[in-house]
Amino acid sequence: EVQLAESGGGSVRAGGSLRLSCVASGPTWNTDYRMGWFRQVSGEKRAWVAAIDGVGNPTYAESVKGRFTIYQNSAKNTLFLQMDSLKPEDSAMYYCAADHALANLKTGDSWSTYWGQGTQVTVSS
């Protein structure tokens, strides 16, 4: 089993920045897991934000490209999401996810994906 614990959410004005963190642990955790971020607005489907592959290559949703940066620590057990130039439409609950298959981190609908509890981001205009 894998546990994911997010932190770093909060409230910020438009144009501001936040950095989210996600620490992975658990008896079956290993560095073969790929990690990513999703976000969800109440009443809407969870949406993919960004993911990182086994050699550190990031991919981003078009809505955040150029503003968000995903990266990991050297041990690959902590995932970060640096969010700059935040907009009100970025407001959501942000979830960390882990899966052995990178493709699953872009759909978010696989039984094999582990999820954190989420951290709330609120951006005011």
Side-chain angles (χ1 to χ4, degrees):
E1 184 171 350
V2 173
Q3 286 86 45
L4 302 172
E6 304 100 331
S7 62
S11 297
V12 66
R13 299 289 292 270
S17 299
L18 284 172
R19 189 180 76 160
L20 307 183
S21 300
C22 171
V23 178
S25 63
T28 60
W29 168 258
N30 58 66
T31 56
D32 289 335
Y33 276 95
R34 306 296 171 247
M35 299 182 76
W37 291 97
F38 284 74
R39 65 188 182 187
Q40 186 172 27
V41 176
S42 181
E44 297 182 8
K45 185 181 177 183
R46 192 156 41 190
W48 173 66
V49 174
I52 193 164
D53 70 10
V55 292
N57 295 317
T59 52
Y60 301 96
E62 284 298 322
S63 59
V64 306
K65 196 173 290 185
R67 300 187 299 120
F68 290 11
T69 303
I70 186 172
Y71 61 101
Q72 289 178 297
N73 65 346
S74 58
K76 294 187 178 180
N77 62 354
T78 303
L79 182 70
F80 301 95
L81 185 68
Q82 177 67 41
M83 305 186 295
D84 298 317
S85 302
L86 282 162
K87 304 175 181 180
E89 51 264 43
D90 294 318
S91 296
M93 184 72 79
Y94 282 71
Y95 295 92
C96 176
D99 199 297
H100 279 126
L102 183 63
N104 290 341
L105 289 178
K106 297 183 179 179
T107 63
D109 58 4
S110 172
W111 61 269
S112 62
T113 303
Y114 289 97
W115 298 93
Q117 292 299 306
T119 185
Q120 179 68 39
V121 171
T122 302
V123 184
S124 58
S125 57

